[in-house]
Amino acid sequence: MSKILLDENIPISLMKHLKKAGHDIEHINSRCKGKTDKEVLDYALKSKRIILTIDSDFSKFKKIKHYGIIKISAKLLYPEKVVLELLELFLRQMV
């Protein structure tokens, strides 16, 4: 099971699919709505969560140690399926 923080641009509807798959999910809107990307990253670090986002601005943090930042396209037809597959691959690499 992974701990994931959904950025504010990720639909809340995706939460139920990820929770159903057994992931510990939190949406940023429940904690830090309207915060800067750096504040979101700091919260993710503090809570040991992977960030799932559509925002390419998070790439500026690639040199900072973190638990993971997964950026997906906003134009995905089936984001639930793609995100679940990405997480599976990502988590397999972490082992």
Side-chain angles (χ1 to χ4, degrees):
M1 175 174 72
S2 57
K3 293 174 69 174
I4 302 166
L5 179 63
L6 302 181
D7 195 15
E8 60 189 5
N9 53 25
I10 300 291
I12 291 178
S13 60
L14 188 55
M15 269 180 81
K16 69 178 178 180
H17 295 286
L18 294 169
K19 282 185 177 184
K20 189 175 179 181
H23 300 286
D24 178 352
I25 305 298
E26 187 174 336
H27 201 285
I28 196 65
N29 288 346
S30 68
R31 293 276 179 187
C32 307
K33 187 173 183 170
K35 299 291 183 183
T36 66
D37 291 342
K38 179 66 169 105
E39 290 169 317
V40 171
L41 178 67
D42 289 343
Y43 178 75
L45 286 168
K46 180 180 171 187
S47 59
K48 299 180 180 177
R49 292 185 178 275
I50 298 165
I51 298 171
L52 180 62
T53 186
I54 294 172
D55 187 354
S56 59
D57 289 346
F58 277 94
S59 64
K60 65 187 169 199
F61 301 122
K62 63 185 172 188
K63 292 185 180 183
I64 296 174
K65 290 195 179 230
H66 51 73
Y67 290 93
I69 299 171
I70 299 174
K71 194 260 183 213
I72 62 170
S73 171
K75 296 179 181 173
L76 289 173
L77 293 175
Y78 303 102
E80 305 85 14
K81 182 180 178 192
V82 172
V83 168
L84 288 171
E85 289 175 6
L86 275 173
L87 282 172
E88 186 178 316
L89 287 169
F90 180 78
L91 294 171
R92 232 185 284 144
Q93 290 180 14
M94 300 297 289
V95 178

